[in-house]
Amino acid sequence: MLEELLIFTRGGLILWSSCRALGGAALKGSPIDALIRSCLLEERSADASFSQDNYALKWTFHNDLGLVFVAVYQRMLHLLYVDDLLAAVRKEFSQIYDPKRKDYHDFTDVFRQLHLEAEARAENMKKSKQQPITSRPSQSISNNKTSTEVRGADSTATGGNKKKGGSAAKDDSDSADSDKGQENSQPRSALLVKGKENGGPKDNNGAFDVNKLQKLRNSKKKTVPAEIGTKKNTTKPDTKKKVNRVWDDKPTDNKKLDFTDPADKRGDDEVIDHVLVNQGESMMDKDENVSSDSEDEEEEEVQGVPKKKGWFSSMFQSISGNNVLEKSDLQPALKALKDRLMTKNVAEEIAEKLCESVAASLEGKKLGSFTRISSTVQTAMEEALVRILTPRRSIDILRDVQSAKERGRPYVIVFVGVNGVGKSTNLAKVAYWLLQHNLSVTLAACDTFRSGAVEQLRTHARRLKIPIFEKGYEKDPAVVAKEAIQEAARNKSDVVLVDTAGRMQDNEPLMRALSKLINLNNPDLVLFVGEALVGNDAVDQLTKFNQKLADLSSVPTARLIDGILLTKFDTIDDKVGAALSMVYISGAPVMFVGCGQSYTDLKKLNVKSIVKTLLK
């Protein structure tokens, strides 16, 4: 049974509702609002359906008029006529739609008729599929009998041929071609004999001859060059000592280059001064200006789209051609855009869904005069990418830290991710950024699994001159984190940064331990640390991390990943697609970008710069 069919504009104005018109019961919860937030605004409109609570939702668009048609029904019911009904409603309503009109009560009777017709068509289709076919099986059985009889006759004929030397096979091969009949009529024994004559034991080129291999080995031993045995022992020439590289013809400086940690040479006070003075202000507090080269340059043609021949022909085609966009018109430009996104390290699945969503938003739309399809598709894709990468909710860590400080408790951030992505290093960068805003920070060494993890975090704490809470190895990380938060609350610390062990998304024991740590301590922010180098694996990592955290949670409302920290962003050149893949699959914003080895190399994600790079 259909629960509701709703018609509204892209601006959010409801034009007609079956519940209001027919007096149906109101929906529990707000599944349509969830559809708008999770699918339509996140460029997932190309999906087949959407589920929320006990409801399933399907939808279609009229892009030229800017209308959205949504059908809601119970998820346990498999209604076959929903797509047919949506298409019929879309066709009928578009004929009576007027932007100035607000009342569509007369559409109720039309909807009733369309609903009955769609149900009747679905019922007839169901009955036609269930009707058994009685005549065909008997015919197939008889055909099987005759075929088995023919096979039996052929087998007896073959046996006769083996005994008589092929005399019976000549009679059977009259109906076929003469050459093929003679080849097929030869008995198997004759073919074997023929094979022996052509390639018998004396001329067996394909077999492996051990005697021949032994002869080759002996001949090699005998023909060893005499130079090898009589080689003189020559002393190695003195190798040149390594010298420093000379830059710009300047005189060389033979001073020893010393990159060791100065902690063993100076006191702790001097170490923190060295770090703060030499490394300067964190890049998180610097606004990055993106140059608009695309405005100055001439717009490039999308690869794969055929270019127009001359100015007059392109103008004439824009004015007099078919201005209503169809899917076939969009395919060349969309394919070129998909290939371009994949070359920028966007996961294939994400690139395909994005192109399908853009096609769904443009199909049926009228193309303006003097406007090319390639530029229209490019503009729509650019708007979609900006919408995806822009956070749905604002996460201001500094503001949230102050509000937690007013409540008398520390602000807790947990860093999670797979092995080797740089969790501990980027945790230290975040600590350095917080210290510059005059906040007290405590590190919690909860990586009790990897050898050397506690020592690594202890080194960062010593260089930044901040306290660290540690319990050593082979301890329960959830308990260590809880005790660290309690210790930070006693010491009036503002922020607690929790370092966790790296784990693969398929490692069940470690994922269970991570879920326990999050559920027991209820952190304010769960940051997923991921590499900017990954492509398709980004989708698998984030999907399974969220799935495991939801499945293994002991509370009804499971805590999932709240934000993303992308590392090694300085090593990817223009391959920035991992940021798009991670945000699209999880809905979590990219809050930090690691772009170097020093504590200051931490940036905010510049959405305009990423979109420009993806479409360049």
Side-chain angles (χ1 to χ4, degrees), residues 172-413:
D172 295 335
S173 61
D174 292 340
S175 59
D177 295 337
S178 60
D179 295 336
K180 292 183 179 179
Q182 290 178 1
E183 291 177 4
N184 295 331
S185 62
Q186 289 182 358
R188 191 180 299 270
S189 58
L191 292 174
L192 292 173
V193 171
K194 187 176 181 181
K196 285 182 181 179
E197 290 177 357
N198 292 333
K202 295 181 181 179
D203 192 20
N204 194 358
N205 295 326
F208 183 76
D209 193 352
V210 181
N211 298 325
K212 187 180 292 186
L213 181 62
Q214 190 65 28
K215 290 179 181 179
L216 286 173
R217 285 179 178 173
N218 296 333
S219 62
K220 283 184 179 180
K221 289 180 181 179
K222 292 178 182 179
T223 58
V224 175
E227 298 177 359
I228 297 176
T230 60
K231 196 171 184 181
K232 296 181 180 180
N233 293 328
T234 57
T235 58
K236 294 182 179 179
D238 295 335
T239 57
K240 293 183 180 179
K241 294 183 178 180
K242 190 174 182 181
V243 295
N244 295 331
R245 182 175 293 177
V246 178
W247 297 99
D248 300 330
D249 297 331
K250 292 181 180 178
T252 59
D253 187 7
N254 295 326
K255 291 182 180 179
K256 182 181 178 182
L257 299 179
D258 189 2
F259 295 105
T260 57
D261 192 348
D264 54 348
K265 300 180 182 179
R266 308 177 186 179
D268 289 340
D269 296 335
E270 294 180 12
V271 172
I272 185 65
D273 292 340
H274 168 78
V275 172
L276 294 176
V277 171
N278 285 357
Q279 300 197 1
E281 185 183 0
S282 175
M283 294 182 183
M284 279 291 296
D285 301 317
K286 296 179 182 178
D287 294 329
E288 186 177 354
N289 296 323
V290 182
S291 59
S292 56
D293 297 336
S294 58
E295 296 178 1
D296 302 331
E297 296 176 357
E298 187 177 338
E299 185 182 4
E300 296 180 359
E301 187 75 23
V302 177
Q303 295 180 2
V305 181
K307 296 184 178 180
K308 310 292 190 301
K309 295 181 180 180
W311 176 81
F312 181 76
S313 61
S314 62
M315 182 191 70
F316 183 78
Q317 187 169 0
S318 299
I319 297 175
S320 61
N322 184 15
N323 289 334
V324 178
L325 291 175
E326 297 180 358
K327 198 166 186 178
S328 58
D329 302 329
L330 300 171
Q331 284 304 319
L334 287 174
K335 186 180 183 304
L337 270 180
K338 178 187 172 183
D339 296 340
R340 182 182 301 179
L341 290 174
M342 288 175 62
T343 58
K344 298 300 174 68
N345 219 13
V346 178
E348 182 180 2
E349 177 187 353
I350 305 301
E352 189 170 350
K353 285 185 177 180
L354 271 172
C355 291
E356 289 176 359
S357 180
V358 169
S361 65
L362 291 178
E363 190 177 355
K365 199 172 183 179
K366 286 186 179 178
L367 188 67
S369 300
F370 303 101
T371 305
R372 292 180 297 178
I373 295 176
S374 60
S375 60
T376 303
V377 172
Q378 180 115 348
T379 304
M381 180 63 78
E382 184 176 351
E383 293 173 356
L385 294 178
V386 171
R387 227 173 4 251
I388 291 170
L389 291 172
T390 303
R392 287 182 292 177
R393 62 186 183 93
S394 176
I395 302 178
D396 190 344
I397 293 179
L398 299 177
R399 180 194 61 197
D400 295 342
V401 169
Q402 293 298 333
S403 62
K405 190 176 179 180
E406 292 173 359
R407 294 194 296 270
R409 66 173 187 83
Y411 186 83
V412 182
I413 304 176

Side-chain angles (χ1 to χ4, degrees), residues 7-69:
I7 305 173
F8 57 94
T9 64
R10 286 188 179 270
L13 179 63
I14 298 177
L15 301 176
W16 186 84
S17 172
S18 62
C19 285
R20 295 179 185 177
L22 303 176
L27 298 175
K28 296 179 182 179
S30 53
I32 296 180
D33 292 342
L35 169 70
I36 295 172
R37 286 195 307 268
S38 303
C39 279
L40 304 187
L41 293 180
E42 292 294 321
E43 293 300 326
R44 304 173 198 270
S45 54
D47 295 344
S49 62
F50 174 77
S51 297
Q52 176 73 17
D53 296 332
N54 295 325
Y55 298 108
L57 294 86
K58 289 190 174 183
W59 61 92
T60 187
F61 302 108
H62 197 298
N63 292 314
D64 189 22
L65 301 178
L67 301 178
V68 184
F69 303 82

Side-chain angles (χ1 to χ4, degrees), residues 419-430:
N419 308 74
V421 294
K423 289 184 296 300
S424 303
T425 303
N426 286 274
L427 180 145
K429 293 179 185 179
V430 174

Side-chain angles (χ1 to χ4, degrees), residues 481-498:
K482 186 175 182 180
E483 293 178 0
I485 295 170
Q486 293 172 354
E487 181 72 16
R490 284 192 295 269
N491 297 332
K492 305 297 182 182
S493 184
D494 298 329
V495 184
V496 178
L497 303 180
V498 181

Side-chain angles (χ1 to χ4, degrees), residues 447-490:
D447 185 356
T448 61
F449 184 77
R450 178 174 64 88
S451 176
V454 177
E455 287 79 6
Q456 180 185 5
L457 206 63
R458 192 186 300 156
T459 302
H460 287 303
R462 188 183 71 246
R463 298 197 68 197
L464 297 174
K465 203 177 180 180
I466 57 178
I468 178 173
F469 186 88
E470 55 176 284
K471 286 288 186 179
Y473 296 98
E474 297 184 1
K475 301 292 191 300
D476 189 353
V479 177
V480 176
K482 186 175 182 180
E483 293 178 0
I485 295 170
Q486 293 172 354
E487 181 72 16
R490 284 192 295 269

